[in-house]
Each structure stands twice: as structure tokens, then as C-alpha cells.
Amino acid sequence: MLTDIEIAQQTKLIPIDQLAHEYGLSDDQFIPYGRDKAKVALDTSNAKGKLILVTATSGMPAGSGKTTTSIAVAQAFKKLGEKACLALREPSLGPSFGMKGGAAGGGYSQVVPMESINLHFTGDFHAITAANNLLAALIDNARHQGQVDLKEITWRRVLDVNDRMLRNIVTGLGGSANGIPTETGFDITAASELMAIVCLAAGEEDLRVRLDRLVVGLKRDGSAYTCKELGATGALMALLKDAMLPNLVQSIEGVPAFVHGGPFANIAHGCNSVAATRAAMTIADWAITEAGFGSDLGAEKFYDIKCRMNNLQPAATILVTSLRALKWHGGVPLPEIGKENMDALINGLPNLKAHIVSLKRFGQQVVVSLNHFANDNEEEIDVVRKECLAAGVRFAISDGFAKGGEGALDVAREVMVAVKEGSKPLNYAYSLDESIEEKIQDVNTKVYGGQDVSYSSAALKDLAKIKALNMGFEKLPICIAKTPFSMSHDPDLKGAPHGFTLPVQRVILNAGAGFLVVTTGAIMRMPGLPKKPAAYTIDVVDGKITGLS
Amino acid sequence: MLTDIEIAQQTKLIPIDQLAHEYGLSDDQFIPYGRDKAKVALDTSNAKGKLILVTATSGMPAGSGKTTTSIAVAQAFKKLGEKACLALREPSLGPSFGMKGGAAGGGYSQVVPMESINLHFTGDFHAITAANNLLAALIDNARHQGQVDLKEITWRRVLDVNDRMLRNIVTGLGGSANGIPTETGFDITAASELMAIVCLAAGEEDLRVRLDRLVVGLKRDGSAYTCKELGATGALMALLKDAMLPNLVQSIEGVPAFVHGGPFANIAHGCNSVAATRAAMTIADWAITEAGFGSDLGAEKFYDIKCRMNNLQPAATILVTSLRALKWHGGVPLPEIGKENMDALINGLPNLKAHIVSLKRFGQQVVVSLNHFANDNEEEIDVVRKECLAAGVRFAISDGFAKGGEGALDVAREVMVAVKEGSKPLNYAYSLDESIEEKIQDVNTKVYGGQDVSYSSAALKDLAKIKALNMGFEKLPICIAKTPFSMSHDPDLKGAPHGFTLPVQRVILNAGAGFLVVTTGAIMRMPGLPKKPAAYTIDVVDGKITGLS
């Protein structure tokens, strides 16, 4: 059997200018990066394609196959004679060398050139890293030069690497010529506010507005110290200029794909850029997009943050699940999820059901797509199918990994019917006018299945500070950071937990992104490397990259 | 008067594929990055062009105009009907937002697109940063996982930013889940060993050999812990694959330019990549290249490190100077260097003379190129001309900033005559068989004009450790880090100081780069930002970057 990277490297790619032309882009609307990638600068004011969100049941350490399904479904649309385009997140370098491997789909449903997409790609993450760290240096330089006196610095540095040693550091050591000793740390780039800003900004002027209002610290009187007051907005604009343009690549079967922006979904808002989504909706009739981890994380934020900010109305939502994921939520340990086990499957069904109920509450037409594995048992599949029909949603099997678009024709057909039946306008989980606490309570009860919310003393202080700023930040949407392995905050609560109390640890203002990050449980914004990092298997052989998966 | 960036943005660029074709590159030999940049993958085994080095008299805070002269001369060759190509360093982002501004030439002698070249360009610096920091994370992860026990970690992290707060830091705080508290720090990417490796590696296999032998720490028994033993070479190869390819752009007058690799010349070896130099020598008859700061820094390392490692023989060397630089070395304060002052000029001539003597000692034919300013006094120019003729070298005026190639025709003509007369094979400042101390002594006496060398106790320990490794590292060339503002280690010793003792602070093994970094005086490997960083003047207006210089 071929590995992902071998399949990807065998693909004969359509030259990117030819693909761009095929989808109606003129030469002045795209800039080639290599012969297989392009940045696209497009007027998207007439974005009319139907938007299909791909989400999943609760995560498991082995991954759910969401990106693979997204690509398979887009390829299936193409096979059905429809004009489809993908909008996906860019993979982060850090996890590519750590536990997770790459994130460009798998098998015969991948976006290519996968090595490039998984590594530096067109440099967007690097640009965000550079802008983030220039801002950090400018803040500290202003302090060092005695130009500002801050009570608190909220801006942290970032790197696109899994490096636990950088979580908590002290900078500015070695005497006063080398700055002011300061407790701080690095987050991974995918978790940064600038990443969220690049993803959510509607265009260049909106980018400027968002950068201007970035709160990077608190002055002695407790008031906000902003990027605008520091004077750093222009430099950041220059560094982020190209990173704002969505990247056009293609799937193995030649479907265009905008791969742009890569916030994680557990610790950030988890969807690709608005620019990419709107570009896909502009050049095609079907725009297939994806939001990270389970629907409690990515989909909730997709609806409540991204769609609300940009007035997007998804036409339908595909909910990816698998016998393996459901068995894992039915209590089977990871090494055994591939074995037949009807009891475990039935134990795991409440997780599927909970996600369906939540998505329907948002007003979406839902199609459950079962990510098929070679040894899946037919009776077990039937149980899932019946559960879906009973819950009033459609069901189809996707075999996109093994068969590409051909394997997802049924899913595509069900989506087309679902769209015809029509989703309702989005019924958000909360209103922006509610208090911060009410918003958290609403997501907890309506989406997670919890009952109460508790606040750490740090979170209570955070809330008090945000209110004391008196700048209207209570009206922002919330972006909850929590584990992907449970609908609750507790990775050990599998299935469809109920009645739990959501413990809020911190409430972090992201004034530029335009949301409040609410952390729950023990959430890390900088991952570490495992005992055997994927880095040790990656190499270059005869001029080709090997070992990426 | 137009600013540099305005002149650059007015230029009508030759589409990069057209330029590549004009110089004999076929489509499979280059990869476009945008419509005005390309990465070139070229067989350079038949690199026959004549190699011309551009260096300068001792630095001054206002810059010497070396890059501008290099570009002007290449443009002049073109005007004379000759086939010329540039090989230049890539600018570093850090200084672009700090004190220095960009580094892509000036006026009508620039390489374009200057905004892109000065900012992210094709991502080489970012790739080196990512590879460097992945290696740091892998080392610390191996320690954290108990897989290796190191007495000393010599590998530091890097960022392409001016950030004094990162010079000395403590990482791994916050309990054992977050690593092991460790004193370390960040250098700027341009000063990193990986930057030197990318610049000096002869190709993919040589890159692997160099990465394998990187010494990243010392084990408890005092033996070397290498990148190979850690197992990180393959991952670094993958991250550096594209960064190894030279970048093709063009000058304002359409001369092809390989802009690739950007080590600083005070704290690193200071020349563009071997790949770029050889590519320029392959596609053109004249390859004009540049080495950083004065000839005591960049040119010495160009000859003794880069040319020796790659068996390159430069055909001639252009020594850039200006009335201003000589007056500054004649003791005039910076604000007054533009004024007439014959006494100061004459006081500064020994600096010019010392550089000429040193370059002739290396065996080079020398052409002094006077960087002309609008109000330069004719009598003063005559004094410089006579000094050059008396010293047995050629002299011409360059007005490349104001007039482009037209302004450097005389310099180009003198270079052609000098080349006809013929340089001698390089007479290196030291032999590789000498001891480390003898090599340092040789550079100090033959190039800097010093007398003795002293060693700090840390340097003596460094020397002992390098010898104790018993791996033949004494045979490596040396890369001395020192101030650019004097031929000595002391920035206050202007002109042509003699009889000083060179104080060696540290001797740092760069086993992968293949040299020993010898630091003298107070050398910073991470710059800071000034009171008014250039960042505050940079912006994006109507989709165009402004304020870069």
C-alpha cells in the first residue's frame, strides 16, 4: 500500500495557472508561487456558492478524517458534474514534526503538493510569526527606552514549533543593556491572536482596524495599551500583506482548494480564513469547508464567530464519524477501536446523537458521513445508519481515503438533497448582547451538555479587568478553549456527558481578533514533542521529501 | 527627489520567466515565486564567469554604499555590452525594522522587487529559523524524555528580529511538565550556524554532511553530541530543501541578480551563498558579488573561508570608499562628514591605504571605487585618486545611486583592465594546518594591523574543549567576529591602528559551517531596536508598502 506522500507525489498536477484560468481567474487575479501554488487577489463581493461545513463527532487521538472527507466530497461533486471548491486550513509546522503528522488529507483525498503545504507553503505562518514577534520586540523596546510604563504585558511571542521549554520563560536577563527581566512565554503560532486576525479580517482596511485595536498591555492606570498607541500597525500591515491573500492549490483529482489560515480549534477558533471561504464561494457553486475537531469546538465557533462576523449562512453541515471514533467514546481503549464490538458502538452512539442535536439546534441540515475502514462490519454500520435516520438526519458512507471522490458520491448526493430541503438561518448559541458569563453558560448548556459554569479566581479577575476597561469588550463573541476528546472540558468524560460544571480558568481579551478566549481545564497554548517525534522519520531522498504523513 | 522605494516601485520589471529564458535557463531549471522572483536549480559545474568581489574601507554608521556600487557596476557592464550577473546577500528582516533599513541597494542601483526582497522574499530566512528552532526543541525534548544527559547545550534558538530581551533568557520554567530550567538565549537568524551552512554547502549531499556533524552540546563525558546522533538531520534537510536554491531577481536596469543567503559580516562570515555565486558565474561572463562591511571583515572571510572551501579565484576586487567614510576615519563626527575638510580627509587616508595593502597581499588586482555624493569636492577627490595611484591600484568614481549603470561605466572599464592584468592565485592569510592561535595571530597581523592576541579565560577554556574533542576541529578556518568601525577590535580606533592587542573573548565551534567563530570585544549576536525604530515609518498605503528604505 502506498503512503500518503507517495500517492501525493505520483499525482500529475494541473499547472496552477491553467487551473486558475479554468475557474475564471485572470492573470492579474493570482500570483504563482512555484508551478503548483498561487496567491489569489479576488473581488469576493459576489460570493454566491453554497457553503457546506464539514465537522465531526468528538475527537480521538487517531484523528477523525474530517479533512479527508472534505476533499473526498469536493471530488465527488466534481465527478457529479458540479463546480466545487475547497476552503481548508493550512497545516502548522509544529505538529508535522511532533505527534500528529501533516494535515492535508489522506490516501486518495489529499490536497497537493502535500509536502509544500505541510512545510513552509507560501510562508503565511512565518509572516504571522514575524509580525507577532516584531510587535513583542517593539513593546519591550518602548519599555526599555522609557517610552511607556506598563503594569502588565499581555502580548506573548510565538513560534511554529512544538517546544514545551518555551511555555514559561524569563527574558531580559544579563543586565540593563539587555532589557528588563520579564516573565513571559511563547505560544504556537496557530494559537496566536494574529492568526485569528488574518483569518477573520474582511480585507486590508479591516486588518488595519483590527491591528489598531490590539490590546498588548495595561498601563499603570489600568487603561489599555494598544498597537495603535505604540505605532506598530503599519509595520505589521507590511509584514502581513501577502499572508492575507488566500492560497490556491488543488486536490489529487484536480478540484481547486483555497488552503489558508490555520488556527487550532481547541485553543483558537479553528477555521480557515474568511478570504479563502469567500474565494471558494466566488469561483465555484459549492464551497466545502472544514472546522477543527468536534462540532462542539470548530462548528460552534464557525457559526457563532466566523459566520456571524461575516454574515455567512452555511447551506448544510456534514458530520464526520466512524465506527472507531464511536467505539472509543463507547469506552474501548485506542488499540482496540478497529475490532468488532457492538456493545462499545452502542455505548458510543450518544456522542453522535449529541452532536446531531447540537447541529440541528443551530438550524442546519445535517448529513452524517461515516468514514469507512476496510474491515468495518456491516451490521455495525447499519446501527449507525438507523440512529441517524431516527435522529432525522441523512446518512452516507465515505470511502474517500481509499477511493477518492468516487468513494464519496453518496455523501455528495445526500448533501445536495439536504441543501434542497434547506437549512434555517443560523440560530446562534448566544446573542452578542448577553453578558460574558451568560454567553459561556449558553454554550455550555446548548452545545456541550453541561449544567453550571465555575470561575477560577484568575478568571474572575480577568472578567473584572475586561469590564473595567469600559471599551465594550463584553459585547464580543467568546472563543472557548477546551479538550477535543470530550463534549465537556474533561477528556475522560466520553460519550455525551451531562450535568457537569464547566471550570473557566482564564478569560483572555483578543480585541483585534474580536473575541474573548475562555480557557477551561488544563489547556496548553504551546504543545510539546512526544517520545518519538515524527521529525525522526522525515528526510530528503533523491531530492524528494519522505516520511511526512 | 524620489525615495528608494518609490524608484523601485516605478520600475517596469521584466517578467521573471522572460529574464530566466534570456539568460539561458529552461523551464525546468527555475521555479517562479510570484511574477518577479524565481528559485533556480542549476548545474553549476561549468561556472566560468569572472568573479569580481566588491568590498569597502572600514564601516561607518551611515553605510558605505557597497551593495549600491555592486549593482551599479553590474548595470555598467550591461551597458558596455557585457553579460553580467549579481550575487548578493538577502537582507535580514530584523534590521529592516530597526536602525538600518533595507539592504537592496539604493537610488537607481537597486535590486527589485525591493519590498519583497527586504521583507519575506522567498522565505529562506524563515526556513532557517524554523529548522534552527526545531533542532533546539528536539534537543530539549530528548533531555526532557531522559534520552540524553548533556553537560552543556551549545545550540541556541534564533529569530529574525532585533530583540535585546531575547539575548539572555531562562527557558523551561513552570514545573517539570514544562521542561528543565535552562539558561540560554536567541541570536538573530543572520548570525546562526544554519545560515552559514546554507551559504557554504556545495549541494544537497554536502548539506547533509554538514548537518550531521553539527555539534549541539557536550555529553557528560565531554564528548560531542551531534545532530546526527540526535537523529534530526533528515527533518532539517526537509525544512532547508527550498532554502538551498538561489533566488533570481533583477536590478532596476534588468541585470539578473541571485540574492541568496544573508549572514552578517561582523558576527558571521558575511557573504551570499556559494550556490548564488556559482549560479551567477554560470549564466554570465561577469559575476559581481559583495562581502559585508570593510575588507578586514567580509573580504578576509570571503577569501579565507568561502573561496578556499569552494576553490573560487576572484578575478579582481573593487574597494568602495567615499570622502565621507574617509573623513569619518579622519576624526570628523558623523553629522559633519558631508562638509569639505581636507585635513580630515588626509587624516583618513591611512584607512584606505591599509585596506589596499591588505587586498594586494591576498594577491588581488584592486580598483578603488569612490562612492560619489552631489556636493563632493573635486580637489578632495583628486587627493584620493592620487593616493590610489601611488598605492599601485586603479581608481574610478561611481555615481550609481544617482545615475544607475551609467554612473559606474568608469569603474567597470577599470575592472576590465585590471582583470586583463590578472590577479594572482589567492594568498590566504593563514594555512589550515596552523594552530588556532596561529591563525588568529596571522589575521591580526596581516589583515588588521595588530601586534598581539590575548585570550579571556573563557576563550582558553573554549580552546581546550575544542582540542579535547580530538575531532580535528583545529584544522578549521576561523571566522572572527569584531566591530566593523575599525580595522581593530576597538570601534574608537579609527584610520589604520597599529600595535594593538586583539582581545579574544570566546572561540565557538561551528562544526557544521566548518569554521571556528572567534569573538573579540563586545560582540552582540542579537541586535536591539533603537529609540525610533524604522518600523514606525513603514506602512501599506493603497496596497503598496511605504517607508522602507
Side-chain angles (χ1 to χ4, degrees), chain A residues 30 32 34-35 120 208 239 241, chain B residues 30 32 34-35 120 239 540 543:
Chain A
F30 69 95
R35 303 197 186 278
H120 308 296
R208 183 182 302 277
L239 282 171
K241 186 172 178 291
Chain B
F30 70 95
R35 303 195 187 277
H120 308 296
L239 282 170
V540 178

